Amino acid sequence: MNSDFTLAVHSLTLLATLPDRMSSSDAIAASASVHPVRIRKVLSLLRKHGFIESKEGTGGGFIFSSNPKVVTLREIYQLTSEGTLQPKCPQVNDSCVVGSNLENVLYSIFTDGEEHLGQFLGQYSIEDVVNSVKQKQ
Amino acid sequence: MNSDFTLAVHSLTLLATLPDRMSSSDAIAASASVHPVRIRKVLSLLRKHGFIESKEGTGGGFIFSSNPKVVTLREIYQLTSEGTLQPKCPQVNDSCVVGSNLENVLYSIFTDGEEHLGQFLGQYSIEDVVNSVKQKQ
DNA sequence: TTAAACTGTAACTATTATTATTTCAGTTAA
DNA sequence: TTAACTGAAATAATAATAGTTACAGTTTAA
């Protein structure tokens, strides 16, 4: 799966542990070991979907604006990675029965599969992740 | 998911419809619209795991050597794509609690998730895929 | 009222992953 | 003994991902 998912979960997990103050993209980027601009892209997506709030200017940054108990990995997956489960099919060769129809067959199977995976990921909230991380510490 | 999965399913589906004769890598490659060398790599993997047999020389090629009713997408997934569900984590930053533990937490969740997906894919045999493809025709 | 610390984005570069291609050795059948 | 095939290594091309630079806009505080 793409790393946007990991970066989003990382950011939310970090913000969930710091609910009282703004965290800057530089700090989050350092924690995740990636470039600040990259993390800002992910944070921007999370903001547009209401998971976090941002504030520009001195003392600004990002803060969790929803409930870590309610936000699940499913929603993060949908936001950052929906469709990545679908197997890549090279350009279709219509002169072959298999070539011209397999794509649709697999698409339909993996659409169901992604739904199953979604239900599985829905079991884990950001709070669960925070607790697991703290426990491992 | 990587396209090796699709190519493997494509090859097996095609071979399952032609159980009486050898199919050459060139023919399979043409059906899948990829380079023959690439399809031979995938076919080689399938052969090493006993799904198909190959024969060199004139009139050689590949042929299904197992039962299309028994071979499922789960086994093909395991062979070609196991682990691809795991989210990519950038290098760990040990100075951060989240950075240093999240990888393990997500790894454990997605290992379970992949098992769930495996069970789901286990429902579909190559014969099912062949039938679906024919039905769409 | 201006400098400093931030976010928001676009554009570009670098890196990595994937795929295609070339090449050639080995096998088999006609 | 040649033509049709597999097997596989090595390399080239392409695509996907990530990093970097640059700069406009916002906010706070000195």
Side-chain angles (χ1 to χ4, degrees):
Chain A
M1 190 187 316
N2 67 50
S3 61
D4 280 6
F5 173 84
T6 313
L7 293 177
V9 174
H10 191 121
S11 301
L12 289 176
T13 304
L14 193 66
L15 292 177
T17 65
L18 300 164
D20 305 323
R21 62 175 182 81
M22 290 286 182
S23 303
S24 74
S25 60
D26 274 26
I28 302 171
S31 163
S33 307
V34 295
H35 200 276
V37 173
R38 188 146 127 66
I39 208 82
R40 286 212 285 271
K41 276 183 198 160
V42 174
L43 291 166
S44 175
L45 191 67
L46 291 172
R47 178 179 56 75
K48 281 170 185 159
H49 287 79
F51 296 111
I52 62 179
E53 279 167 16
S54 70
K55 195 182 171 196
E56 297 181 29
T58 303
F62 299 85
I63 195 165
F64 217 110
S65 66
S66 45
N67 187 349
K69 287 185 188 177
V70 171
V71 179
T72 71
L73 298 188
R74 175 179 200 162
E75 289 149 76
I76 310 307
Y77 175 84
Q78 288 174 335
L79 201 58
T80 61
S81 313
E82 183 101 82
T84 56
L85 195 61
Q86 290 292 344
K88 286 163 201 145
C89 294
Q91 71 191 31
V92 170
N93 177 351
D94 287 323
S95 64
C96 163
V97 178
V98 175
S100 52
N101 292 120
L102 185 65
E103 187 171 4
N104 295 324
V105 172
L106 291 183
Y107 177 78
S108 140
I109 291 174
F110 278 84
T111 299
D112 277 10
E114 204 159 47
E115 171 62 23
H116 274 252
L117 182 64
Q119 280 174 23
F120 173 78
L121 292 176
Q123 295 177 293
Y124 301 93
S125 70
I126 291 297
E127 191 177 72
D128 293 335
V129 174
V130 169
N131 290 337
S132 297
V133 165
K134 283 181 178 167
Q135 205 179 328
K136 294 237 175 199
Q137 192 182 5
Chain B
M1 190 185 317
N2 66 52
S3 61
D4 280 5
F5 173 84
T6 313
L7 293 178
V9 174
H10 190 119
S11 302
L12 290 176
T13 305
L14 194 65
L15 292 178
T17 65
L18 300 164
D20 304 323
R21 62 174 183 82
M22 292 284 181
S23 303
S24 73
S25 61
D26 274 28
I28 303 172
S31 163
S33 306
V34 295
H35 199 276
V37 173
R38 187 145 128 67
I39 208 83
R40 285 212 286 270
K41 277 184 197 158
V42 175
L43 291 166
S44 174
L45 191 67
L46 292 172
R47 178 179 55 77
K48 281 169 186 160
H49 287 80
F51 296 111
I52 62 179
E53 279 168 15
S54 71
K55 194 182 171 195
E56 299 182 26
T58 303
F62 300 84
I63 194 165
F64 216 112
S65 66
S66 46
N67 187 347
K69 287 186 186 175
V70 171
V71 179
T72 70
L73 297 188
R74 174 178 203 165
E75 290 149 76
I76 310 307
Y77 175 83
Q78 288 173 336
L79 201 59
T80 61
S81 313
E82 184 100 80
T84 55
L85 194 62
Q86 290 292 345
K88 283 162 203 147
C89 295
Q91 70 192 33
V92 168
N93 178 351
D94 287 323
S95 65
C96 164
V97 180
V98 175
S100 51
N101 292 121
L102 184 65
E103 188 171 4
N104 295 324
V105 172
L106 290 184
Y107 176 78
S108 141
I109 292 173
F110 277 83
T111 298
D112 277 10
E114 204 160 45
E115 171 62 24
H116 273 253
L117 182 63
Q119 280 175 22
F120 172 79
L121 292 177
Q123 296 177 293
Y124 300 93
S125 70
I126 292 296
E127 191 178 72
D128 292 336
V129 174
V130 169
N131 290 337
S132 298
V133 164
K134 283 182 178 167
Q135 206 179 327
K136 294 238 175 197
Q137 190 181 6

